[in-house]
């Protein structure tokens, strides 16, 4: 089995893990078993505990001085933004809408790399990015009769994750993946506290069913994060990265089977446009690197 095949399989496992994470969180908050803030807080604390065990078993310290470096602090700030608004979107929007808008993140990363990091992007990839953003607008449908205000949560969450990924390109290389995972889920915990602060009424503990679902959310999230790290270290990025879109397929299946969601033709067309433009951009990037 080649490294690229291994990387693709790891990436597909990661996307299944993240889709399961989203579905469990959506189920727990949608059924009222826990609030978005309390669910996010428990999610972060549980995943932090898992990564703390992983880090200690590999003799890695839980604290790394690089956590306070400006580049990593910027990444942490964007991760808080992404986690906070993504959790709110899962709680208040459909799983299919939230997952579809999230697929625009690679396009935003590419746009940011061009504007901030000075990477060169050809005219065809600019067109692809424009079409991807058109796809997002097709999903959102910002007209008075179709627009849902809470859909803004999904857009802000997507932007937070995209800017986090962009900041990751400049993150210190000496931070081990388990330490980065620990920091990432500490951010989830902070996002939970922020959401809790704005929720009406006093905080309430999750029901036993809610606690079980959020614990499963944390396990799925750790599996997804670890598989993603393995994927990006196994094969060529240009080959492995397109399998990120497998997450949308799994999410749509969960949305249909578990939540009875039936995305209409406009939403599915917009999602297809976002995925298609993202795949094209990734393939163009791969060809450009091969020529170089």
């Amino acid at each position: 089995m080649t490294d690229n095949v291994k990387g693709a399989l790891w990436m597909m496992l990661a996307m299944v893990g993240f889709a399961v994470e989203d579905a469990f969180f959506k189920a727990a908050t949608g059924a009222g078993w826990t609030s978005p803030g309390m669910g996010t807080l428990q999610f972060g604390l549980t995943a932090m505990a898992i990564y703390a065990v992983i880090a200690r078993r590999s003799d890695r310290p839980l604290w790394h001085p690089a956590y306070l470096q400006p580049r990593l602090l910027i990444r942490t700030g964007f991760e808080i933004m992404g986690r906070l608004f993504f959790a709110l979107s899962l709680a208040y929007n459909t799983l299919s809408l939230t997952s579809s808008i999230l697929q625009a993140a690679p396009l935003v990363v590419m746009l940011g790399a061009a504007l901030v990091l000075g990477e060169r992007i050809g005219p065809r990839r600019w067109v692809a990015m424009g079409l991807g953003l058109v796809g997002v607008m097709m999903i959102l449908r910002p007209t008075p009769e179709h627009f849902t205000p809470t859909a803004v949560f999904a857009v802000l969450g997507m932007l937070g994750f995209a800017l986090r990924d962009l900041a990751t390109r400049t993150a210190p290389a000496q931070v081990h993946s388990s330490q980065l995972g620990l920091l990432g889920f500490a951010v989830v915990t902070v996002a939970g506290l922020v959401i809790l602060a704005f929720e009406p009424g006093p905080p309430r503990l999750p029901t036993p069913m809610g606690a079980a679902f959020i614990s499963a959310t944390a396990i799925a999230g750790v599996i997804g994060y670890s598989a993603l790290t393995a994927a990006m270290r196994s094969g060529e990025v240009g080959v492995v990265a397109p399998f990120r879109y497998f997450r949308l397929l799994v999410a749509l299946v969960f949305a249909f089977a578990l939540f009875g969601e039936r995305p209409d033709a406009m939403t599915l067309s917009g999602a297809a446009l976002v995925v298609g433009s993202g795949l094209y951009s990734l393939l163009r990037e791969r060809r450009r690197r091969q020529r170089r």
Side-chain angles (χ1 to χ4, degrees):
M1 185 181 295
T2 66
D3 287 342
N4 283 339
V5 173
K6 290 179 182 177
L9 292 175
W10 277 119
M11 182 62 78
M12 292 174 72
L13 175 61
M15 295 305 104
V16 171
F18 289 140
V20 171
E21 169 196 317
D22 296 343
F24 275 128
F25 189 89
K26 173 70 176 174
T29 55
W33 296 331
T34 187
S35 69
M38 186 60 71
T40 304
L41 179 62
Q42 183 195 339
F43 173 33
L45 289 174
T46 305
M48 273 183 66
I50 295 172
Y51 263 116
V53 172
I54 294 173
R56 294 308 301 153
R57 291 193 64 179
S58 58
D59 292 327
R60 302 278 179 180
L62 302 184
W63 173 260
H64 197 292
Y67 290 165
L68 297 180
Q69 289 187 9
R71 290 176 295 174
L72 206 51
L73 288 174
I74 291 172
R75 180 188 184 277
T76 299
F78 286 136
E79 176 120 37
I80 291 175
M81 174 183 172
R83 291 289 184 178
L84 192 157
F85 287 109
F86 191 68
L88 289 173
S89 184
L90 283 173
Y92 295 112
N93 294 307
T94 62
L95 179 60
S96 53
L97 182 145
T98 302
S99 299
S100 296
I101 292 177
L102 182 64
Q103 305 312 307
L107 296 172
V108 177
V109 170
M110 202 171 300
L111 177 63
L115 298 178
V116 179
L117 301 180
E119 293 189 12
R120 184 179 178 277
I121 293 181
R124 282 180 283 187
R125 288 169 67 203
W126 280 113
V127 171
M129 278 190 282
L131 290 175
L133 296 179
V134 169
V136 172
M137 298 305 290
M138 290 171 64
I139 298 168
L140 290 176
R141 277 173 280 186
T143 57
E145 62 270 19
H146 292 110
F147 182 65
T148 304
T150 54
V152 175
F153 292 151
V155 176
L156 293 174
M158 179 272 293
L159 289 174
F161 286 139
L163 294 172
R164 175 205 64 186
D165 292 346
L166 187 64
T168 299
R169 298 192 181 197
T170 63
Q174 66 267 30
V175 181
H176 189 260
S177 58
S178 61
Q179 294 169 317
L180 205 57
L182 184 64
L183 177 62
F185 285 105
V187 166
V188 176
T189 304
V190 173
L193 291 172
V194 173
I195 298 172
L196 265 179
F198 288 94
E199 287 182 343
R204 56 184 178 85
L205 293 175
T207 66
M209 186 65 74
F213 267 69
I214 296 299
S215 296
T217 299
I219 294 171
V222 169
I223 291 173
Y225 194 96
S226 300
L228 178 64
T229 302
M232 300 309 291
R233 292 178 174 178
S234 297
E236 301 172 50
V237 173
V239 176
V240 174
F243 286 90
R244 283 179 178 268
Y245 292 108
F246 188 67
R247 177 176 184 168
L248 178 59
L249 176 61
V250 179
L252 290 176
V253 171
F254 284 159
F256 180 86
L258 301 180
F259 303 105
E261 297 177 14
R262 304 292 187 272
D264 58 18
M266 183 69 79
T267 299
L268 292 175
S269 298
L273 194 55
V274 170
V275 171
S277 57
L279 287 173
Y280 176 81
S281 298
L282 289 169
L283 291 174
R284 287 291 302 172
E285 173 68 12
R286 181 189 174 197
R287 290 172 186 168
R288 186 177 68 87
R289 293 191 178 191
Q290 286 177 339
R291 287 197 299 268
R292 290 172 61 183

